[in-house]
Amino acid sequence: MSDIEAYLQQQTNLRGRSAYHPDQPLELWRSQLRTRVKERLGGFPTMAAALNPVLLERITCDGYIRERIEITTYAGLRMPVYLLIPGDGSVTDTKRPAIVACHGHGYGSREISGMEPDGSLRTGEPGLHKDFAVALVKRGYVVAAPELLGFGDRRLEEDRDAPPGVSSCTKIAAHLLMVGKTLAGHRVYETTRVLDYVSTRPEVDSERIGSMGISGGGLVTAFTAALDERFRASVVSGYANTFQGSILDRNHCLDNYVPGILREAELPDLIGLIVPRPLFIEAGSDDQVFPIHAAREAYARLTHIYEQAGASESLDADFFTGGHEISGAKAYDWLDQVL
């Protein structure tokens, strides 16, 4: 180990002042850590802008209706969201559970909603996302699939002619970091605004809203659920890990880096803020982005947190045979049980 590597190791070992210990009052620990995490993410607006939703399109699909909605997240910033609604769209008094589904790196919300980058029906393989928004709507959930900042239709103009999978993450993240903000924080706050909108829909039972995300969408899912208790249950796929075992172990997109976050806690404790609400972890045996050994380490830490909170029955996982991808083999049934 070189002196540079040794120095970096020394610096990153100075971490985790807010790791949960059983002698701490759970609510006090969560409240204090949540406040500091929000600060590290760059802070959130003190007053929410009016959503001002606009319907962009409404299409009948195989067994569900797909709407494209646009809402205001931050003042001056609009976000398109696909809303997948089970059935034929006929009026009913039945309120359904809902899932906010967050895509990872790729070409955005269309990639989890059964479409090609141009919005046409998918004809090829679904890739790592496995069209999980479609899988969920076909199980009876109302599904909101937001276009995360920097992907798809929300790329910078200079990236619009690049291949569909090329994101604007690096430049947006760099600009935000220079003014004390983070791209992760913006995505987390925008996802709370999606929850605000979904809660207004007449088809949705606002007391039964969960979340699911993969990779970078797993980050958004985990952090948003950690900070917003309105998410009743969450599936984090291809992300639950340790900072040391993944984010600091290999090159990641700049959107993963939150200045000073290790001064607060390691990743499992941050995800542990979801306790005692139901949490499910998916991790592939051959995941080269968020390695399985660190995923198991994170799950062991989460198990300890949930046990100490008396909520061990609310935590589960699927360490499946596969790579950096959605599985769903156990997660979908688990969601049916907890929502």
Side-chain angles (χ1 to χ4, degrees):
M1 180 182 292
S2 71
D3 60 337
I4 299 174
E5 291 167 322
Y7 175 78
L8 291 175
Q9 186 68 51
Q10 179 189 47
Q11 293 300 303
T12 55
N13 279 339
L14 299 173
R15 66 183 191 272
R17 70 178 182 182
S18 293
Y20 176 63
H21 300 289
D23 57 346
Q24 296 174 281
L26 179 64
E27 286 304 318
L28 180 63
W29 169 73
R30 290 198 303 176
S31 175
Q32 292 178 342
L33 183 53
R34 279 175 177 160
T35 296
R36 292 198 294 271
V37 169
K38 288 179 182 178
E39 292 172 353
R40 297 293 188 182
L41 288 170
F44 298 156
T46 55
M47 183 175 295
L51 289 168
N52 293 327
V54 174
L55 178 64
L56 303 178
E57 67 177 29
R58 194 170 196 269
I59 297 173
T60 300
C61 301
D62 181 16
Y64 61 96
I65 300 296
R66 186 181 74 227
E67 295 183 351
R68 184 75 157 170
I69 310 290
E70 189 177 70
I71 62 172
T72 297
T73 53
Y74 289 84
L77 194 60
R78 300 280 285 174
M79 168 192 263
V81 181
Y82 279 114
L83 195 72
L84 312 184
I85 306 165
D88 59 6
S90 56
V91 177
T92 174
D93 292 331
T94 302
K95 288 184 177 290
R96 298 176 177 272
I99 302 289
V100 177
C102 295
H103 63 81
H105 282 76
Y107 59 83
S109 56
R110 292 184 180 94
E111 191 163 0
I112 68 175
S113 303
M115 288 174 276
E116 300 291 350
D118 63 1
S120 61
L121 188 66
R122 183 187 309 290
T123 57
E125 293 297 317
L128 68 90
H129 291 87
K130 306 288 181 65
D131 287 333
F132 75 94
V134 176
L136 288 166
V137 73
K138 290 196 171 183
R139 294 180 76 98
Y141 297 96
V142 176
V143 183
E147 192 93 291
L148 299 183
L149 187 59
F151 296 104
D153 293 343
R154 304 186 78 203
R155 295 186 292 176
L156 298 171
E157 288 296 332
E158 64 195 56
D159 296 322
R160 291 296 179 90
D161 293 330
V166 174
S167 75
S168 297
C169 293
T170 298
K171 190 166 186 177
I172 295 174
H175 277 250
L176 290 172
L177 287 169
M178 291 295 283
V179 295
K181 305 290 185 179
T182 66
L183 183 49
H186 273 63
R187 289 174 177 166
V188 167
Y189 180 72
E190 287 198 312
T191 303
T192 69
R193 302 311 318 279
V194 175
L195 178 55
D196 290 341
Y197 172 70
V198 171
S199 298
T200 71
R201 293 289 302 216
E203 307 93 342
V204 172
D205 181 348
S206 62
E207 296 299 316
R208 299 170 66 198
I209 300 177
S211 56
M212 182 171 181
I214 170 72
S215 193
L219 180 158
V220 177
T221 294
F223 276 65
T224 309
L227 298 177
D228 194 327
E229 293 192 352
R230 292 178 297 168
F231 284 107
R232 302 301 188 185
S234 298
V235 176
V236 178
S237 182
Y239 178 72
N241 216 265
T242 66
F243 288 132
Q244 289 286 351
S246 178
I247 302 302
L248 297 178
D249 187 63
R250 59 208 63 207
N251 291 329
H252 278 265
C253 179
L254 191 58
D255 62 7
N256 282 285
Y257 298 90
V258 178
I261 196 67
L262 264 177
R263 296 288 184 176
E264 306 304 338
E266 246 287 5
L267 183 53
D269 280 270
L270 300 177
I271 299 174
L273 289 171
I274 296 172
V275 72
R277 287 165 291 143
L279 171 65
F280 192 94
I281 302 301
E282 281 194 339
S285 58
D286 299 317
D287 192 330
Q288 301 301 307
V289 186
F290 292 92
I292 189 67
H293 71 274
R296 290 186 179 278
E297 181 183 341
Y299 187 69
R301 177 61 184 160
L302 285 164
T303 298
H304 174 73
I305 293 171
Y306 269 73
E307 286 176 347
Q308 293 299 323
S312 57
E313 73 285 351
S314 294
L315 178 68
D316 205 349
D318 182 12
F319 296 100
F320 62 91
T321 301
H324 187 60
E325 59 188 319
I326 287 281
S327 170
K330 297 180 180 179
Y332 298 147
D333 288 341
W334 179 87
L335 278 170
D336 292 345
Q337 294 172 8
V338 299
L339 279 180

